[in-house]
Amino acid sequence: MDLDFSAAEDAFRAEARAWLAAHVPGTPLPSLETEQGFAAHRTWERTLSADRWSVVSWPEEYGGRGASVLEWLIFEEEYYAAGAPGRVSQNGINLLAPTLFEHGTPEQRARILPPMATGEVIWAQAWSEPEAGSDLASLRSTARRADGGWLLNGQKTWSSRAAFADRAFGLFRSDRSGVDEGRPHRGLTYLMFPLDADGVTVRPIGRLDGKPAFAELFLDDVFVPDEDVIGEPGQGWRVAMSTAGNERGLTLRSPGRFTAAADRLTRLWRDRADPSDTALRDRVADAVIGARAYQLFTYAGASRLAAGGSIGAESSMNKVYWSELDIALHETALDLLGPYGELADRADEAPEHGSWADGHTFSLAGPIYAGTNEIQRDIVAERLLGLPKGRR
Amino acid sequence: MDLDFSAAEDAFRAEARAWLAAHVPGTPLPSLETEQGFAAHRTWERTLSADRWSVVSWPEEYGGRGASVLEWLIFEEEYYAAGAPGRVSQNGINLLAPTLFEHGTPEQRARILPPMATGEVIWAQAWSEPEAGSDLASLRSTARRADGGWLLNGQKTWSSRAAFADRAFGLFRSDRSGVDEGRPHRGLTYLMFPLDADGVTVRPIGRLDGKPAFAELFLDDVFVPDEDVIGEPGQGWRVAMSTAGNERGLTLRSPGRFTAAADRLTRLWRDRADPSDTALRDRVADAVIGARAYQLFTYAGASRLAAGGSIGAESSMNKVYWSELDIALHETALDLLGPYGELADRADEAPEHGSWADGHTFSLAGPIYAGTNEIQRDIVAERLLGLPKGRR
Amino acid sequence: MRFLLDDEQREFARSLDALLKAADTPAVVRAWSAGDHNPGRALWGRLAEAGVFGLSVPEEHDGLGFLPVELAVAFTELGRHAVPGPLVETVAAAVLLDGLGDRHTTWLPGIASGKTVVTLRPPGDDSPYALDADMADLVLVVTGDTLRAAGSTSSVQPSADPARRLSRPTGGTVLAEGPHVRRAAEHAADVGRLATAAQALGVGRTLLDRTVAHVRERHQFGRPVGSFQAIKHRLADVLISLEFTAPLVRAAALSLASAAGDSGRDIAAAKAAAGDAVHLAARTALQCHGALGYTDELDLSLWIRKARPLRTAWGTPTACRARVLTN
Amino acid sequence: MRFLLDDEQREFARSLDALLKAADTPAVVRAWSAGDHNPGRALWGRLAEAGVFGLSVPEEHDGLGFLPVELAVAFTELGRHAVPGPLVETVAAAVLLDGLGDRHTTWLPGIASGKTVVTLRPPGDDSPYALDADMADLVLVVTGDTLRAAGSTSSVQPSADPARRLSRPTGGTVLAEGPHVRRAAEHAADVGRLATAAQALGVGRTLLDRTVAHVRERHQFGRPVGSFQAIKHRLADVLISLEFTAPLVRAAALSLASAAGDSGRDIAAAKAAAGDAVHLAARTALQCHGALGYTDELDLSLWIRKARPLRTAWGTPTACRARVLTN
């Protein structure tokens, strides 16, 4: 057992660090949940991809470096430690790309991945519907057979960054018989569509701080050609779920985000806090311990993957852990900041360019999206502890 | 609105305080969960009752003072502030007596209450059975008709202090038809029986610290005369429940216990804690705030009762609140005591005669007995918030 | 002892509730957040008519006398309806000005009538900001023994609750000086802290009510979300937290009214408990609403965003806890 | 990087588990608690044969070398089976004596072989007590720069965990003096703290395992208690807490083994997390077992009672957190 990096990994880290030091903007970009910030972050994606840092774990042919999981973790640590911008392409890179690698055709990969890597095409996810949040299988939006493709109808919501993105992917009901038989997971089809297509209406929705972080999508006979179906029609649930818990499931929240945030919190505490306030000190220490635990837990997972193992329901423990750590960490920072902790991120006087306020708002969504923490705890209890399913 | 006591109430408080100052033993009695301690506490009950302080809220004819709810609260505050011994008669006084006042016959009251008030007869409760803990309606012990009375059979458990007590009361199934119809609350009968009767076997059970705080009771054709049935046969559930949530439900844990404990904790903190440890200070403050909140909440309840109101499902909020307060308070004390916090109450060097260690052990049972806190939260959600029942 | 609101006090709460329900406060809040104070000023006037601002002004200055219990009742309703503006600050300022006596009391009739909106930097806090100074008629600043009326204010610094518009008072003239200023400011801070605790309690109540209504209606997996035990228990905990805070707030108000005992300690206890309760209520409301709760457009956000600022303002949780243990 | 136990380490854990399962440790604990050390001494010998006490003794003194990772593996198993005795203390004492070199190492072969049981007052703690000094062959006390072998001990002070028999070492002779004593004691304290964290983790694991088994079997209201969502979520939280503690313990052991970086900080982080995890596990186990869990006679109590002492011993939660932030 060891926690040592190889010489090649150390070299990879050094290269990433040097590149980031040379390229990360000196002042933070505007919030990526605003139009101006979105554009700035898109430009940053192009900068990243120009030197092949936007998708390090992808094969070289699609713009990556064929990095191992461990190298990817190293890159992420360096990325967030350098204070680099949030990733506006993350929905495509983390959710759609793994699916294309597993279920896409060579043509789809060649067509879709390179412009995703450069930020030329930015993807939004379109999973949820007004009546299908946690209960995703009860989707109602439909895909109807048409000549050479499908016609999409219905409504999607909580589509992250769809207000500014180019294309979206999601599940649509192409066959109702599963519903009638009480097997609603059946008959769903995984499709991709442009957000500026005929029949698509995008209505931005403000998050808690008012920024249009997501949108509602209204779909009215939106045509999608057959080439934009991923996997077999009717098999969308299986296609979507097959990549949810695998090693790329790690990518939802890499430990580097939290170790960097805990380091920043520690600096903030040293600089500004009353050292005799042990109540606050204990909370800062807990954030440091929690971030380190999450990093080490992930190293162990990466080691298991490297040894040929897999990651299954453990990803539910991950989700609960990082989302609650993220909130605790940011609440500690805001409490530490006293009266300045109240300021919105856009306030001129907000400490550290409003990053703590913005991070706090962002953190509050953590226990909700990607499967609420209630659902995750059910999964942990049932699949990892073997407790009876019950009706919850 | 006011929080003022009347001149008569102030006089009552002064009288109680003076009596307690003159009579409370200088060093604590041995633990009432031991044989020796049980005997010492029985003697203390006799001392209390000699001056009519054992059952202040009862009518004078049974040994009480006809005290109002508020006077009772005042007495309890003084009682615990004086560091007076735990009440070995509490099961009888708090659980059986209210039932007798509401459902007993005059003969039963005259026969049973006076020796309860003096500690001559100490009562144990016999509700739970091995397969009926939270799910009390699924009781299996039986009461079978016999000449002039009933024959009890079955097994009871978690019978508090039954190892040393004289008599017990509980519910027995006298008619199976309710069970067969899926209405298990029906057909139960409320009976009293001596613990030294033929056919009763008492097996003490040690609690976490080994003291025989409760016992299992094995009943083999134990004869109980008709005069020891309370209320109508078959109506036992209604009889037992009717006094569970009324004003005497307050008596389960009076606020005086917690305000006194919080005061002791504050003194301990001032005497022994590092004042710069704000993490600990915050916990001490929370115990003080919590005890005060519980006291005020109870005053409000007493005011509502005095104004002709009643207390229903609110008693479930009470239960959750005091039981969690009690644990937090004692854990804070043990943490404050550092290496001495580990000592068992019987250790010579245990601080304050082991009262914190004993209180901690005692507190750990709080969220379990008298309806687990899980059940109480279900009740709060369903009856006070109107959330749908569901199958939990 | 009758530790219950009397009929008149309950009627006062009911009438404020009715007034505020009819006022469509969510629209008022949204306008205020956007810098349009007109609907808020109009509502301010109606609240003054209902007596809210007279509760901290003596009768000789056209007020109703100093009535902390009624003040707590009123601020709980103001919190329940998310009313914007320097409500706590105006009431605390009235107490401060009244405490100074002399020509300072000339402001009081205007405060009672709702004509004059006053704000101040919370005395004793280390905040450099005064709430809504951009619209107030008078901005007060206490520094040690000195009271100033600010001459101007810095640009508005938006709070995480956009209805709270913060700025730094600067310059201005000295209105009073001496140890009596400090004493009056301490009293005003106690009143501000109590009003904030009551307001937080009201905010928490609405967060709970709206969430209960939501989880009864919202279905997932074929059943109401509110029938899941995890949701039930979280909401039960919020109710318990609020129900055990309410008597602390009432008792603190009584303590301030009677001027007996250590009312500062009682108020600190109420504020600490109310801060915890509203924070728990907001976290739970957000989680039980899921993504819906995370949106600006659902009115719930107007209450969610109040929780953290109210928990900190006029006495942080740790400052309040320290005060509880101060002899 | 391969942050997983290797085959040999896993096999070591499995063999200890098998040994301890066969040893009926609950009976051993109950005897130990009653002052009968014979079954415990016999088990001690078998653990020594399995190599447990050689893991902190250099090979030249008949040990296996200083192997912190294997030590953590072993102590997790010792915790899982609630093994009684001054296990942590003997291992820490070996490190202390080895660090002093010279004639002090004459004790080491006996420690490795299981013949010699040593205890000590945890250096750096403010506890006046040494664990199980009534049965140890050697009782060490470090005060500042001085190491003493205690001459006698006070009467046994029972802990809330009756298997932990505490007493005050008194009198005795000075064994060593000087700054090297302090340095060796600090190293020994780190080892003791790591072993305690690992032990706490093992205790937590058994608390969870036994509780899961119970709630699957126990029925109330016509269904398994473990099918209630409130119970499920509490147990999920315990699992999460333990699973995120385990890598901290492993990494702290590695850090100690490599002597690179700040192993003291890594060990403090592991201890703080393990203390929280075992405390949560014990509270949850008790609550999910109901009254059954509150009894002395259910073996579960043997683990429940360990939680609080292990959380405090060899570094309180707050001391460990302070250390995490020390540069």
Side-chain angles (χ1 to χ4, degrees):
Chain A
M1 184 165 78
D2 70 86
L3 274 165
D4 304 330
F5 297 101
S6 68
E9 287 157 350
D10 284 340
F12 178 84
R13 184 188 290 277
E15 188 187 350
R17 185 177 296 182
W19 187 90
L20 289 160
H23 292 83
V24 168
T27 50
L29 304 183
S31 167
L32 69 77
E33 315 294 0
T34 62
E35 185 163 9
Q36 183 204 1
F38 194 90
H41 281 78
R42 192 197 286 266
T43 304
W44 168 248
E45 290 291 320
R46 196 180 318 132
T47 307
L48 276 172
S49 71
D51 291 325
R52 285 193 304 121
W53 290 110
S54 69
V55 287
V56 295
S57 60
W58 290 10
E60 299 197 14
E61 61 185 300
Y62 301 119
R65 292 170 172 249
S68 67
V69 171
L70 195 53
E71 284 170 332
W72 174 77
L73 289 171
I74 290 168
F75 173 74
E76 292 277 300
E77 287 176 11
E78 293 300 320
Y79 189 86
Y80 289 102
R87 299 296 305 275
V88 71
S89 288
Q90 66 182 6
N91 282 317
I93 294 172
N94 295 348
L95 297 173
L96 178 58
T99 305
L100 285 172
F101 281 118
E102 193 157 334
H103 297 280
T105 64
E107 183 277 327
Q108 286 175 327
R109 287 198 281 267
R111 174 162 53 92
I112 294 166
L113 294 177
M116 185 192 293
T118 61
E120 190 188 331
V121 175
I122 293 179
W123 291 81
Q125 42 78 13
W127 302 122
S128 300
E129 297 180 6
E131 298 304 317
S134 292
D135 184 11
L136 196 56
S138 65
L139 294 171
R140 294 180 187 178
S141 293
T142 56
R144 205 171 69 239
R145 251 290 165 223
D147 192 25
W150 302 78
L151 288 172
L152 308 186
N153 280 283
Q155 186 183 348
K156 294 286 182 178
T157 192
W158 319 128
S159 181
S160 300
R161 299 192 192 102
F164 312 119
D166 305 297
R167 294 175 63 85
F169 55 92
L171 294 179
F172 293 82
R173 192 162 297 287
S174 52
D175 178 355
R176 270 204 61 79
S177 60
V179 177
D180 300 334
E181 292 161 17
R183 307 290 293 269
H185 302 82
R186 296 199 184 160
L188 296 168
T189 297
Y190 196 131
L191 291 131
M192 302 177 283
F193 57 97
L195 285 164
D196 60 357
D198 283 352
V200 177
T201 307
V202 178
R203 190 182 75 81
I205 305 177
R207 66 174 189 180
L208 273 182
D209 64 2
K211 301 201 186 88
F214 27 58
E216 264 181 331
L217 309 178
F218 299 90
L219 305 162
D220 180 15
D221 274 349
V222 177
F223 179 75
V224 174
D226 281 328
E227 65 186 30
D228 283 344
V229 172
I230 308 181
E232 293 296 311
Q235 297 295 313
W237 183 265
R238 209 179 51 78
V239 171
M241 292 301 126
S242 68
T243 51
N246 76 0
E247 80 248 46
R248 294 176 200 268
L250 286 178
T251 63
L252 191 59
R253 287 291 168 258
S254 76
R257 297 176 83 106
F258 304 104
T259 49
D263 285 346
R264 285 180 54 220
L265 178 63
T266 305
R267 285 197 296 273
L268 190 72
W269 176 74
R270 288 198 207 289
D271 291 349
R272 302 178 65 141
D274 172 3
S276 77
D277 184 344
T278 57
L280 190 62
R281 186 196 64 193
D282 281 359
R283 293 169 66 197
V284 174
D286 278 335
V288 171
I289 296 168
R292 176 70 174 157
Y294 185 54
Q295 181 186 43
L296 291 166
F297 186 87
T298 307
Y299 285 163
S303 300
R304 250 193 324 277
L305 286 172
S310 64
I311 290 178
E314 283 161 57
S315 62
S316 291
M317 296 201 291
N318 254 9
K319 166 72 207 303
V320 172
Y321 197 83
W322 66 249
S323 58
E324 299 193 345
L325 168 62
D326 204 24
I327 291 182
L329 198 156
H330 283 92
E331 288 193 334
T332 302
L334 296 187
D335 286 347
L336 194 161
L337 290 169
Y340 303 96
E342 180 183 345
L343 297 178
D345 67 316
R346 68 182 183 282
D348 310 331
E349 299 181 6
E352 304 194 6
H353 304 281
S355 57
W356 292 110
D358 186 56
H360 177 247
T361 303
F362 188 76
S363 75
L364 290 174
I368 297 168
Y369 70 94
T372 66
N373 284 12
E374 285 73 27
I375 302 273
Q376 305 300 346
R377 286 190 168 89
D378 282 347
I379 294 173
V380 170
E382 290 165 13
R383 299 202 203 152
L384 297 176
L385 294 177
L387 294 179
K389 250 192 134 160
R391 286 187 54 218
R392 293 197 176 100
Chain B
M1 184 164 80
D2 69 86
L3 273 164
D4 305 329
F5 297 101
S6 68
E9 286 158 352
D10 284 340
F12 177 83
R13 184 188 291 278
E15 187 187 351
R17 186 178 296 184
W19 187 89
L20 289 161
H23 292 82
V24 168
T27 50
L29 304 183
S31 167
L32 68 77
E33 315 294 359
T34 61
E35 185 162 10
Q36 184 203 1
F38 193 91
H41 281 77
R42 192 197 286 265
T43 304
W44 168 248
E45 291 291 320
R46 197 179 317 131
T47 307
L48 276 171
S49 72
D51 291 323
R52 286 192 303 120
W53 290 110
S54 68
V55 287
V56 294
S57 59
W58 290 10
E60 299 197 13
E61 62 185 298
Y62 302 119
R65 290 169 174 251
S68 67
V69 171
L70 195 54
E71 284 170 333
W72 174 75
L73 290 171
I74 290 168
F75 173 73
E76 292 278 299
E77 286 176 13
E78 294 300 321
Y79 189 86
Y80 290 103
R87 298 296 304 275
V88 71
S89 288
Q90 65 182 7
N91 281 317
I93 294 171
N94 295 348
L95 299 173
L96 178 58
T99 305
L100 285 171
F101 281 117
E102 193 158 333
H103 298 278
T105 63
E107 182 278 326
Q108 286 175 327
R109 287 198 280 268
R111 173 163 54 91
I112 294 167
L113 294 176
M116 186 192 291
T118 60
E120 189 188 332
V121 174
I122 292 179
W123 290 82
Q125 44 77 14
W127 301 124
S128 300
E129 297 180 4
E131 298 305 318
S134 292
D135 183 12
L136 197 57
S138 65
L139 294 171
R140 295 181 187 178
S141 293
T142 57
R144 205 171 68 241
R145 252 286 165 227
D147 193 26
W150 302 79
L151 287 172
L152 307 185
N153 280 283
Q155 185 183 348
K156 294 285 183 180
T157 191
W158 318 128
S159 182
S160 300
R161 299 189 194 105
F164 312 118
D166 305 299
R167 294 176 63 85
F169 54 93
L171 295 178
F172 293 82
R173 194 162 293 288
S174 53
D175 178 354
R176 269 203 60 80
S177 60
V179 176
D180 299 336
E181 292 161 18
R183 309 289 295 269
H185 303 80
R186 297 197 183 162
L188 296 168
T189 296
Y190 195 131
L191 292 131
M192 303 178 281
F193 57 96
L195 285 164
D196 60 357
D198 283 352
V200 177
T201 308
V202 178
R203 189 183 76 82
I205 305 178
R207 67 173 188 181
L208 274 181
D209 65 1
K211 301 200 188 87
F214 28 55
E216 262 179 332
L217 308 179
F218 300 90
L219 304 162
D220 180 15
D221 275 348
V222 177
F223 179 77
V224 173
D226 281 326
E227 65 186 28
D228 283 345
V229 172
I230 308 182
E232 292 298 309
Q235 298 295 313
W237 183 264
R238 209 179 52 77
V239 170
M241 291 302 125
S242 67
T243 50
N246 76 359
E247 81 248 47
R248 294 177 200 268
L250 286 179
T251 61
L252 191 60
R253 287 291 167 258
S254 76
R257 296 176 83 107
F258 304 105
T259 48
D263 285 345
R264 285 179 55 219
L265 178 62
T266 305
R267 286 197 296 274
L268 190 71
W269 176 74
R270 288 198 207 291
D271 291 349
R272 303 180 65 141
D274 172 3
S276 77
D277 185 345
T278 56
L280 189 62
R281 186 197 64 194
D282 281 359
R283 293 168 66 196
V284 174
D286 278 335
V288 171
I289 296 168
R292 176 70 173 157
Y294 186 55
Q295 182 186 43
L296 291 166
F297 186 87
T298 306
Y299 284 163
S303 300
R304 250 193 325 277
L305 287 172
S310 64
I311 290 179
E314 284 161 59
S315 62
S316 290
M317 295 201 291
N318 253 10
K319 167 70 207 302
V320 172
Y321 197 83
W322 66 249
S323 58
E324 299 193 347
L325 168 63
D326 203 25
I327 291 180
L329 197 156
H330 283 91
E331 287 193 337
T332 302
L334 295 187
D335 286 347
L336 194 161
L337 291 169
Y340 304 96
E342 180 183 344
L343 297 178
D345 68 314
R346 68 181 185 283
D348 309 331
E349 299 181 6
E352 304 193 7
H353 303 284
S355 57
W356 292 110
D358 187 56
H360 177 247
T361 303
F362 188 75
S363 76
L364 290 173
I368 297 169
Y369 70 94
T372 66
N373 284 12
E374 285 73 28
I375 301 274
Q376 304 300 346
R377 285 190 169 89
D378 283 346
I379 293 173
V380 170
E382 290 165 14
R383 300 202 203 153
L384 297 176
L385 294 176
L387 294 180
K389 250 192 135 164
R391 285 187 57 216
R392 292 194 179 100
Chain C
M1 147 108 54
R2 193 176 176 285
F3 188 50
L4 296 172
L5 295 180
D6 64 31
D7 290 345
E8 211 175 323
Q9 289 158 342
R10 277 206 300 270
E11 180 48 38
F12 180 48
R14 262 195 301 269
S15 69
L16 284 178
D17 181 41
L19 185 163
L20 291 166
K21 241 187 221 126
D24 186 13
T25 52
V28 177
V29 180
R30 290 184 188 280
W32 191 277
S33 303
D36 171 10
H37 298 114
N38 291 332
R41 283 298 299 235
L43 180 57
W44 193 281
R46 289 205 293 287
L47 289 169
E49 276 170 46
V52 169
F53 301 110
L55 299 171
S56 59
V57 173
E59 293 177 65
E60 68 258 39
H61 300 297
D62 303 348
L64 300 164
F66 181 58
L67 297 172
V69 174
E70 283 71 12
L71 212 54
V73 167
F75 272 84
T76 303
E77 294 305 315
L78 297 174
R80 279 188 60 217
H81 292 277
V83 178
L87 300 152
V88 169
E89 290 69 19
T90 290
V91 162
V95 170
L96 171 59
L97 293 166
D98 184 46
L100 297 177
D102 199 16
R103 66 199 153 81
H104 304 295
T105 58
T106 53
W107 291 98
L108 297 179
I111 289 176
S113 72
K115 225 186 58 191
T116 307
V117 174
V118 192
T119 192
L120 78 172
R121 236 173 48 188
D125 265 26
D126 56 358
S127 172
Y129 301 118
L131 181 64
D132 295 315
D134 58 329
M135 61 72 67
D137 303 301
L138 173 65
V139 180
L140 299 176
V141 177
V142 178
T143 322
D145 278 357
T146 308
L147 172 69
R148 279 186 300 120
S152 60
T153 57
S154 72
S155 63
V156 170
Q157 297 294 312
S159 155
D161 173 9
R164 288 172 60 87
R165 299 162 60 86
L166 305 169
S167 45
R168 288 174 189 264
T170 51
T173 51
V174 171
L175 295 185
E177 238 169 335
H180 66 302
V181 170
R182 189 190 295 266
R183 275 195 306 275
E186 277 169 16
H187 188 216
D190 273 346
V191 173
R193 191 167 299 125
L194 172 67
T196 306
Q199 201 181 7
L201 174 64
V203 169
R205 288 232 167 106
T206 293
L207 285 165
L208 177 60
D209 291 347
R210 288 186 171 239
T211 305
V212 166
H214 173 76
V215 301
R216 288 168 70 167
E217 291 305 317
R218 171 85 174 166
H219 282 61
Q220 291 281 276
F221 304 102
R223 40 193 285 232
V225 168
S227 69
F228 288 88
Q229 199 183 29
I231 299 294
K232 283 169 141 168
H233 284 199
R234 289 189 73 159
L235 291 172
D237 282 337
V238 173
L239 179 68
I240 291 169
S241 182
L242 292 169
E243 289 296 311
F244 282 87
T245 294
L248 288 168
V249 172
R250 281 208 312 264
L254 267 182
S255 173
L256 192 60
S258 73
D262 184 350
S263 60
R265 189 180 54 200
D266 293 342
I267 292 169
K271 177 68 173 42
D276 283 359
V278 73
H279 187 247
L280 181 71
R283 282 289 305 278
T284 306
L286 174 54
Q287 188 65 19
C288 293
H289 276 81
L292 274 171
Y294 191 66
T295 62
D296 167 67
E297 58 192 47
L298 193 76
D299 283 341
L300 184 78
S301 63
L302 308 180
W303 283 267
I304 285 181
R305 292 187 299 220
K306 290 212 167 314
R308 279 192 54 88
L310 291 183
R311 178 167 161 272
T312 303
W314 292 89
T316 62
T318 193
C320 289
R321 287 185 167 86
R323 178 68 183 83
V324 166
L325 293 179
T326 304
N327 266 330
Chain D
M1 147 107 57
R2 193 176 177 286
F3 188 49
L4 297 172
L5 295 181
D6 64 30
D7 290 345
E8 211 175 324
Q9 288 159 341
R10 278 206 299 273
E11 180 48 39
F12 180 50
R14 262 193 301 270
S15 70
L16 284 179
D17 181 41
L19 185 163
L20 292 166
K21 241 186 222 126
D24 185 13
T25 52
V28 177
V29 179
R30 291 185 187 280
W32 191 278
S33 303
D36 171 9
H37 296 114
N38 291 332
R41 284 298 299 236
L43 179 56
W44 191 282
R46 289 204 295 286
L47 289 169
E49 274 170 46
V52 169
F53 300 110
L55 299 172
S56 60
V57 173
E59 292 178 65
E60 69 256 39
H61 300 297
D62 302 348
L64 300 164
F66 181 56
L67 297 172
V69 174
E70 284 72 12
L71 212 53
V73 167
F75 273 83
T76 304
E77 293 305 315
L78 297 174
R80 281 188 59 217
H81 292 277
V83 178
L87 299 152
V88 169
E89 290 69 20
T90 290
V91 163
V95 170
L96 171 59
L97 294 166
D98 183 44
L100 297 176
D102 199 17
R103 66 202 153 79
H104 304 295
T105 59
T106 53
W107 291 97
L108 297 180
I111 289 176
S113 71
K115 226 184 61 192
T116 308
V117 175
V118 191
T119 192
L120 80 171
R121 235 173 49 188
D125 267 25
D126 57 356
S127 172
Y129 302 118
L131 182 64
D132 295 316
D134 59 328
M135 61 72 69
D137 302 302
L138 174 64
V139 180
L140 299 176
V141 178
V142 178
T143 321
D145 279 357
T146 308
L147 173 70
R148 279 186 301 120
S152 60
T153 58
S154 72
S155 65
V156 170
Q157 297 293 313
S159 157
D161 173 10
R164 288 172 59 87
R165 298 162 60 85
L166 305 169
S167 45
R168 288 175 188 262
T170 50
T173 53
V174 171
L175 295 185
E177 236 168 338
H180 67 301
V181 169
R182 188 189 296 263
R183 275 196 307 276
E186 276 168 15
H187 188 217
D190 273 345
V191 174
R193 191 166 300 124
L194 171 67
T196 306
Q199 201 180 8
L201 174 64
V203 169
R205 288 231 166 107
T206 294
L207 285 164
L208 177 61
D209 291 346
R210 286 184 173 240
T211 305
V212 166
H214 173 75
V215 299
R216 289 168 70 168
E217 291 305 316
R218 171 85 174 167
H219 281 61
Q220 291 282 275
F221 304 103
R223 40 194 285 235
V225 168
S227 69
F228 289 88
Q229 200 182 28
I231 299 294
K232 283 168 142 169
H233 285 200
R234 290 188 73 158
L235 291 172
D237 282 337
V238 174
L239 180 67
I240 290 169
S241 182
L242 293 168
E243 289 296 310
F244 282 86
T245 293
L248 287 168
V249 172
R250 280 209 310 266
L254 267 183
S255 173
L256 193 60
S258 73
D262 185 348
S263 60
R265 189 180 55 200
D266 294 341
I267 292 168
K271 178 67 171 45
D276 284 358
V278 74
H279 187 247
L280 181 71
R283 281 290 303 281
T284 307
L286 174 53
Q287 189 64 19
C288 293
H289 275 81
L292 274 171
Y294 192 66
T295 60
D296 167 66
E297 58 193 45
L298 194 75
D299 284 341
L300 184 77
S301 63
L302 307 181
W303 283 267
I304 285 180
R305 292 187 299 222
K306 292 213 168 309
R308 278 193 55 88
L310 291 183
R311 179 168 161 272
T312 303
W314 292 89
T316 62
T318 194
C320 288
R321 287 185 167 86
R323 179 66 183 82
V324 166
L325 293 179
T326 304
N327 268 330

